[in-house]
Amino acid sequence: MAVCARLCGVGPARGCRRRGAQREQRREGPADSEPDTDAEEERIEGARLGQGQAPDPAARAPLSLLELPPELLVQIFGSLPGTDLPSLARVCSAFRRILRTDTIWRRRCREEYGVCENLRKLEITGVSCRDVYAKLLHRYRLILGLWQPDIGPYGGLLNVVVDGLFIIGWMYLPPHDPHVDDPMRFKPLFRIHLMERKSATVECMYGHKGPHNGHIQIVKKDEFSTKCNQTDHHRMSGGRQEEFRTWLREEWGRTLEDIFHEHMQELILMKFIYTSQYDNCLTYRRIYLPPSSADDLLKPGLFKGTYGSHGLEIVMLSFHGKKAKGTKITGDPNIPAGQQTVEIDLAHPIQLPDIENLRNFNELSRIVLEVQEQVRREQQQQQEEEEGQSEGEGRSRQGDSQQAEQPVQRDDTGAEGTEAAGAAAAQESAPTSQPFVLPVGVISRNEDYPRTCRMCFYGTGLIAGHGFTSPERTPGIFILFDDDRFGFIWLELKSFSLYSRIKVSFQNAAAPSREAFDEMLKNIQSMTT
């Protein structure tokens, strides 16, 4: 084609087989076939870049990429990752001109970031798809995903997503206490959009006076911060009292007069005073959803659970071999966000007594404490074997390795095999469901818990004084109700927590590897230790 001669200087014009094939298809194709909009735009763009000369039947096949028709290059370039295109533009002026085609960038916005909006509307404002990709989507790509705000012990859950032609940070909140099965609530904290070609605009959405000027800074990998530049927009005409009443209705769905428990009133007022001082000027750290495997007891993920006077909190359930861990994403002054609230020992299932004996708290406590003593003996035995193995390895360096090491290896393997076989046998022998009722004297915020369960396991729960003082792990029992709900009885507190799965499809939240997820858990826990 003439365009190849003009842009690349490769010789005389040649025909485009693809364009001829398209004309032939239009003549022979069915009348009700839908037109390919992007293909038509590529054809028009090719005609604009070239002169549209008639095909030459005697033309030879192109010998290099530069000899291909422009519309075919648009198709090829549009299939490449957007991050590679700037390097491609530096190859030659011909490529640079072709990469100005909006069809390429519209495709990259759609395939890489899921933008489904009609991007042609941007032409009215003078903003191109290339601007949207480079100045909005690519620039702020590092903040997409799940985040935990650093709000002292309270934490939180933020999901940053591409929403149409915006990037929005949605804060997810548990339903009002004690309705653990209700869906999550969410509200926008900030949004980013492209109003003009120069740069993207960051707006704070906090408060009740509409969007206003804000700022986002990417501090380092997996960490960013937000700052509101107009905090006066957060204030209300009625002063702090009106702000507190509004916050209370949003956070708890009630008024302070409806809350008769004095200790609960103190906790609520304390949270309002603590959290309101941030004024949406926060630092966020990335979190991942836990990876899953076929051997997991149930699908890991995020759950909302009841925590007495503290209300509903968000917990992440993850599996680690013979252990399952519940890590707080939101927390309270006793057990802050990031701490491991419960740990389930999957190697020690518990067989519940019949329904009448189950009502007796002392009977259930006796069963759990017996398993606790068994776990303590096994841990002590394992510690002794590890010490013996260390001594044996020391002797092996003196030439006595085989006699010292072989007995220890047999004991380790045997112990592990016994635990695994015991757990597997318990799962096979356990009924698909069995009656369940809370023992008399056990406190529950939600009386609407399931009356049947699948399995139970020994576990420990973390308790502490105010300010995370004197933390200790105490025995309890994990109850699996179904695929989306489980419970935990804290023996020492005589308290029951019910957990229900958060059924939200969070975007850009998968962990790149098991190692990255484990490292993330350590990091968020160290922040509050």
Side-chain angles (χ1 to χ4, degrees):
M1 293 178 64
V3 65
C4 296
R6 191 177 86 247
L7 294 182
C8 309
V10 295
R14 283 171 294 279
C16 173
R17 292 190 180 92
R18 181 173 181 271
R19 184 176 297 170
Q22 288 176 345
R23 286 197 297 268
E24 186 67 24
Q25 185 178 5
R26 285 196 295 269
R27 286 197 298 267
E28 299 179 359
D32 60 346
S33 61
E34 296 183 359
D36 187 341
T37 307
D38 283 349
E40 181 65 16
E41 288 188 1
E42 292 165 15
R43 185 189 67 77
I44 296 172
E45 186 65 24
R48 184 181 66 80
L49 293 174
Q51 299 299 324
Q53 294 185 10
D56 182 3
R60 61 178 178 82
L63 300 179
S64 72
L65 192 63
L66 288 170
E67 297 185 53
L68 292 175
E71 62 266 36
L72 189 54
L73 290 178
V74 168
Q75 178 92 0
I76 295 173
F77 293 173
S79 65
L80 299 175
T83 52
D84 292 344
L85 298 183
S87 299
L88 192 62
R90 291 193 289 269
V91 172
C92 64
S93 59
F95 283 6
R96 188 159 53 251
R97 278 191 286 269
I98 291 175
L99 285 170
R100 292 173 186 159
T101 307
D102 236 23
T103 303
I104 297 174
W105 299 101
R106 184 181 301 118
R107 180 176 176 182
R108 298 319 322 139
C109 290
R110 182 176 65 247
E111 294 184 0
E112 293 183 25
Y113 297 100
V115 177
C116 300
E117 299 292 317
N118 187 354
L119 297 178
R120 296 179 185 86
K121 296 178 182 178
L122 291 171
E123 299 175 0
I124 302 175
T125 62
V127 178
S128 67
C129 296
R130 181 181 181 182
D131 292 329
V132 172
Y133 184 94
K135 298 176 182 179
L136 177 67
L137 302 177
H138 180 71
R139 179 181 176 184
Y140 290 99
R141 71 194 184 282
L142 296 179
I143 71 170
L144 299 177
L146 276 182
W147 302 84
Q148 186 183 51
D150 184 9
I151 315 180
Y154 298 104
L157 181 66
L158 180 84
N159 189 207
V160 183
V161 298
V162 176
D163 190 345
L165 298 177
F166 293 83
I167 292 178
I168 302 180
W170 295 99
M171 180 67 83
Y172 277 80
L173 307 169
H176 294 138
D177 179 63
H179 307 292
V180 70
D181 285 327
D182 286 358
M184 294 286 286
R185 299 173 295 126
F186 51 92
K187 64 178 182 180
L189 289 191
F190 62 83
R191 70 180 184 184
I192 316 169
H193 56 117
L194 206 62
M195 295 296 291
E196 53 185 20
R197 301 192 64 175
K198 293 181 181 179
S199 61
T201 300
V202 178
E203 293 179 324
C204 175
M205 304 290 287
Y206 191 76
H208 303 273
K209 295 184 179 179
H212 48 282
N213 188 25
H215 175 72
I216 287 179
Q217 180 181 3
I218 299 176
V219 180
K220 58 182 179 180
K221 185 179 182 295
D222 296 333
E223 185 176 322
F224 77 96
S225 63
T226 58
K227 180 182 178 182
C228 176
N229 296 331
Q230 295 175 280
T231 54
D232 57 298
H233 280 62
H234 306 167
R235 308 282 77 87
M236 303 184 74
S237 58
R240 295 289 278 176
Q241 288 187 353
E242 183 182 357
E243 292 171 13
F244 175 63
R245 286 194 296 268
T246 302
W247 175 86
L248 189 59
R249 286 194 299 269
E250 293 178 350
E251 187 84 5
W252 291 84
R254 63 183 81 175
T255 65
L256 196 62
E257 291 74 20
D258 297 331
I259 303 171
F260 302 107
H261 198 293
E262 185 177 347
H263 178 60
M264 192 172 184
Q265 290 181 349
E266 293 176 356
L267 291 173
I268 291 173
L269 184 59
M270 183 189 308
K271 183 174 182 179
F272 169 74
I273 294 173
Y274 192 97
T275 57
S276 61
Q277 65 180 328
Y278 284 91
D279 267 336
N280 208 23
C281 300
L282 297 167
T283 298
Y284 298 86
R285 296 180 179 89
R286 184 181 294 280
I287 59 176
Y288 299 116
L289 292 178
S292 61
S293 69
D295 298 330
D296 293 340
L297 189 64
L298 71 161
K299 183 181 178 181
L302 296 174
F303 291 77
K304 43 198 184 304
T306 55
Y307 278 86
S309 298
H310 298 294
L312 300 187
E313 298 183 10
I314 301 174
V315 170
M316 177 184 289
L317 180 69
S318 57
F319 291 89
H320 309 263
K322 299 176 186 177
K323 304 285 186 181
K325 298 178 181 179
T327 304
K328 280 195 171 188
I329 303 303
T330 62
D332 53 69
N334 290 76
I335 306 297
Q339 291 298 317
Q340 185 180 310
T341 176
V342 294
E343 181 177 278
I344 302 100
D345 190 341
L346 300 175
H348 291 87
I350 289 179
Q351 181 63 45
L352 293 178
D354 58 71
I355 195 70
E356 291 302 323
N357 287 325
L358 181 58
R359 296 180 187 274
N360 187 336
F361 177 80
N362 292 332
E363 176 64 16
L364 180 64
S365 180
R366 180 190 64 80
I367 295 173
V368 175
L369 292 179
E370 285 181 356
V371 179
Q372 182 191 31
E373 178 61 23
Q374 178 186 351
V375 171
R376 188 194 64 79
R377 289 197 303 266
E378 291 174 357
Q379 290 175 344
Q380 183 178 1
Q381 180 182 0
Q382 182 180 2
Q383 183 178 359
E384 291 173 355
E385 290 174 350
E386 289 175 352
E387 291 174 355
Q389 185 176 6
S390 299
E391 293 176 1
E393 290 175 352
R395 290 194 299 270
S396 71
R397 287 192 292 269
Q398 299 175 2
D400 202 14
S401 60
Q402 293 183 353
Q403 295 180 2
E405 292 179 3
Q406 285 178 358
V408 175
Q409 290 176 352
R410 284 197 300 271
D411 289 345
D412 277 349
T413 305
E416 291 179 1
T418 302
E419 285 184 359
Q427 293 187 34
E428 291 176 0
S429 61
T432 55
S433 65
Q434 60 188 107
F436 176 81
V437 65
L438 284 177
V440 176
V442 174
I443 302 171
S444 175
R445 294 287 296 175
N446 193 331
E447 293 297 331
D448 190 24
Y449 60 86
R451 293 310 195 263
T452 59
C453 67
R454 292 181 182 176
M455 299 187 68
C456 298
F457 293 88
Y458 170 77
T460 58
L462 184 62
I463 63 174
H466 186 86
F468 196 43
T469 55
S470 305
E472 62 173 319
R473 305 208 69 86
T474 60
I477 179 170
F478 169 87
I479 307 105
L480 175 63
F481 293 116
D482 51 46
D483 291 338
D484 295 323
R485 289 179 295 180
F486 64 88
F488 191 85
I489 297 177
W490 314 70
L491 285 189
E492 185 165 329
L493 302 178
K494 286 190 175 182
S495 176
F496 172 73
S497 292
L498 177 64
Y499 302 82
S500 179
R501 185 182 299 277
I502 296 177
K503 298 178 181 180
V504 177
S505 298
F506 294 108
Q507 303 175 23
N508 304 295
S513 65
R514 164 62 71 173
E515 292 73 21
F517 176 79
D518 291 339
E519 185 66 23
M520 180 272 299
L521 282 185
K522 292 179 182 177
N523 289 339
I524 65 174
Q525 184 174 8
S526 65
M527 296 298 174
T528 55
T529 300

